[in-house]
Amino acid sequence: MTVTVKTFTSSSEAAAALSSDRNARYLGGGTLVMRALNEGDISLSTVVRANDQALMRIDPSGPRITLGAGVTFARILGERDLSFLHAPARSIGGPAVRNMGTVGGNLFAPNPYGDFTVALLALDATVALQGGFGSRDIPIEEFLQSRDRQAGTLVLSVSCTRPTSAEAFRYRKIARIKPKGGSVITLAAHLPISGGRIAGARIALGSMAPTQIRARAAERALEGRALDAATVAAAASAAAEGTSPSDSALGSAWYRREIVGVHLRRLLLGQE
């Protein structure tokens, strides 16, 4: 199998190359594409790269922060202003993977990976895309629902909400091998408080559906209420509603549905 590597100086040129070749894949950190090449994926005949520094940009100012698609998890861990994202970034593989793995690539990582994307979903992220249609921003939920149809599209950046306090955002990855193992389940919660009550609850789950999803029933149980034991219990009991986990070597679908409420309760109560 012959693979052609094309390197461009701008993201627009790279996006055009992706749009014109259905067998092309973009190479960021390489943790997904290189695995596909090493495993002999015959559908991949062209690798596209871009040296555009805009893809490496971090803008941590304001109520929403922007991360270029090429930003690595190691860089996030080195940014004091991004401390609320340190736990999700640290949960991605080992040091070698964090040095190479990128924010944009994680959006495409299949179960049981893609843990950073769970955090972005809880933080109401928006994904900036470029392709044959030009440039556009879409909510991360819309992106995830159409992820398998995003061939020929280049992710430019991701922006997400900055939590108003350290307590407003919580994250937990349940894995058999820590920290670098695939997740049994991953949970993230953003719980803004206004007047002592939750306003705008977002709960995100990984490995509980084909892509990362929101636990909307749990969100409804939290919305407009104080974060007390009764509210947490109601959210935990609703955590598995609307999920569709699959069986894997890490855990069965039944097991995942059984434990997701337990771990959501612990996450919301701040328990280990």
Side-chain angles (χ1 to χ4, degrees), residues 57-67 79 81-82 84 162:
R57 181 172 63 94
I58 296 178
D59 182 359
S61 61
R64 289 185 69 83
I65 64 104
T66 299
L67 303 171
E79 293 281 341
D81 288 340
L82 300 180
F84 65 98
R162 176 188 293 279

Side-chain angles (χ1 to χ4, degrees), residues 4 44 46 50 62 74 93 95 97 112 126 163 184 196 217 237:
T4 302
L44 202 172
T46 305
V97 173
T126 298
V184 178
S237 67

